[in-house]
């Protein structure tokens, strides 16, 4: 596998996804270019995609809905795959909401709408992987879904980011990272509409 570091930023157009393959120790910066945009992040073991980031295992590992800075995201085999290293955004993120998919948009009367699930399938197919039968729960950076303490109700609010806000994640194993600039426009999570993200791989410290 080719190590990637100090590479030029990868532009992720609105409603699309891009992937990078990185070695353990590399850092990945995801930037909200124009502000107010959610990013769905999917992470796989570079050598065995049956092992992938698991939101439920990460919540168990950290005893939190979302990790604090310095904590791990872990796989379905309970191994660290990413560390939440730095964040210049308001720090509002989500790991409860499933990736949008064709079935969700069909239920909304929009069956040909782009989706994060299809973006992931396309990105993995471009890397030579067979069609995915399972879509993991993504790491939804910049997504604002507060949980009411009284009754557990979820609210759908706009991403609170401004242009240039970013998160930095460190790879704890060689991995494939797919980032989708979420195409959701049937609610307010992406403000007035989807916009681009940027993805850059940085070398080990």
């Amino acid at each position: 596998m080719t190590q990637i570091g100090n590479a030029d930023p990868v532009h992720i157009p609105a409603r699309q996804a891009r992937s990078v393959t990185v070695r353990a120790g590399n850092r990945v910066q995801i930037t909200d270019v124009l502000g107010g945009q959610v990013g769905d992040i999917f992470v796989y073991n570079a050598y065995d995609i049956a092992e992938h980031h698991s939101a439920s295992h990460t919540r168990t590992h950290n005893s939190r809905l979302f990790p604090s800075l310095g904590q791990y995201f872990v796989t379905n085999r309970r191994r660290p795959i990413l560390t939440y290293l730095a964040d210049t955004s308001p720090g509002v993120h989500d790991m409860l909401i499933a990736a949008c998919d064709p079935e969700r948009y069909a239920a909304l009367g929009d069956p040909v709408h782009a989706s994060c699930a299809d973006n992931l399938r396309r990105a993995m197919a471009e890397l030579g992987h067979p069609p995915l039968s399972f879509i993991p729960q993504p790491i939804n950076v910049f997504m604002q879904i507060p949980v009411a303490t009284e009754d557990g109700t979820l609210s759908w609010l706009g991403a609170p980011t401004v242009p240039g806000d970013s998160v930095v994640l460190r790879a704890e194993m060689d991995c494939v990272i797919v980032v989708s600039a979420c195409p959701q426009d049937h609610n307010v999570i992406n403000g007035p509409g989807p916009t681009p993200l940027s993805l850059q791989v940085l070398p080990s410290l």
Side-chain angles (χ1 to χ4, degrees):
M1 181 179 60
T2 301
Q3 180 170 354
I4 303 173
N6 257 349
D8 292 334
V10 176
H11 179 71
I12 307 173
R15 307 173 187 269
Q16 297 183 30
R18 295 292 185 268
S19 69
V20 292
T21 302
V22 298
R23 287 199 181 277
N26 284 160
R27 295 165 295 141
V28 176
Q29 183 175 39
I30 297 102
T31 301
D32 188 353
V33 177
L34 300 178
Q37 174 63 41
V38 169
D40 284 36
I41 302 173
F42 306 89
V43 194
Y44 293 87
N45 179 329
Y47 308 108
D48 178 8
I49 68 167
E51 182 175 20
H52 52 79
H53 167 257
S54 167
S56 59
H57 291 83
T58 296
R59 291 193 297 267
T60 301
H61 181 83
N62 294 312
S63 296
R64 293 178 54 88
L65 288 176
F66 197 90
S68 294
L69 287 173
Q71 291 185 324
Y72 293 130
F73 297 88
V74 303
T75 72
N76 53 319
R77 296 175 187 165
R78 300 184 186 271
R79 299 199 300 159
I81 193 167
L82 295 175
T83 297
Y84 182 25
L85 203 60
D87 194 340
T88 65
S89 80
V92 176
H93 311 288
D94 167 76
M95 285 198 312
L96 295 176
I97 301 302
C100 59
D101 51 36
E103 293 80 7
R104 174 150 173 75
Y105 291 115
L108 294 169
D110 197 355
V112 298
H113 198 286
S115 71
C116 288
D118 275 351
N119 285 347
L120 172 64
R121 291 187 182 100
R122 188 174 301 110
M124 294 299 281
E126 289 173 354
L127 294 173
H129 295 287
L132 299 179
S133 60
F134 172 71
I135 303 297
Q137 164 67 48
I139 303 166
N140 296 313
V141 291
F142 316 135
M143 190 173 190
Q144 186 172 198
I145 307 290
V147 181
T149 56
E150 300 83 4
D151 60 3
T153 300
L154 303 178
S155 297
W156 299 75
L157 304 179
T161 43
V162 298
D165 279 349
S166 69
V167 297
V168 178
L169 308 170
R170 184 180 64 222
E172 299 302 329
M173 64 173 71
D174 295 354
C175 58
V176 175
I177 301 175
V178 177
V179 181
S180 174
C182 181
Q184 176 63 264
D185 55 9
H186 284 268
N187 60 35
V188 301
I189 64 166
N190 293 315
T195 55
L197 297 173
S198 178
L199 171 63
Q200 186 167 19
V201 181
L202 306 172
S204 305
L205 292 172

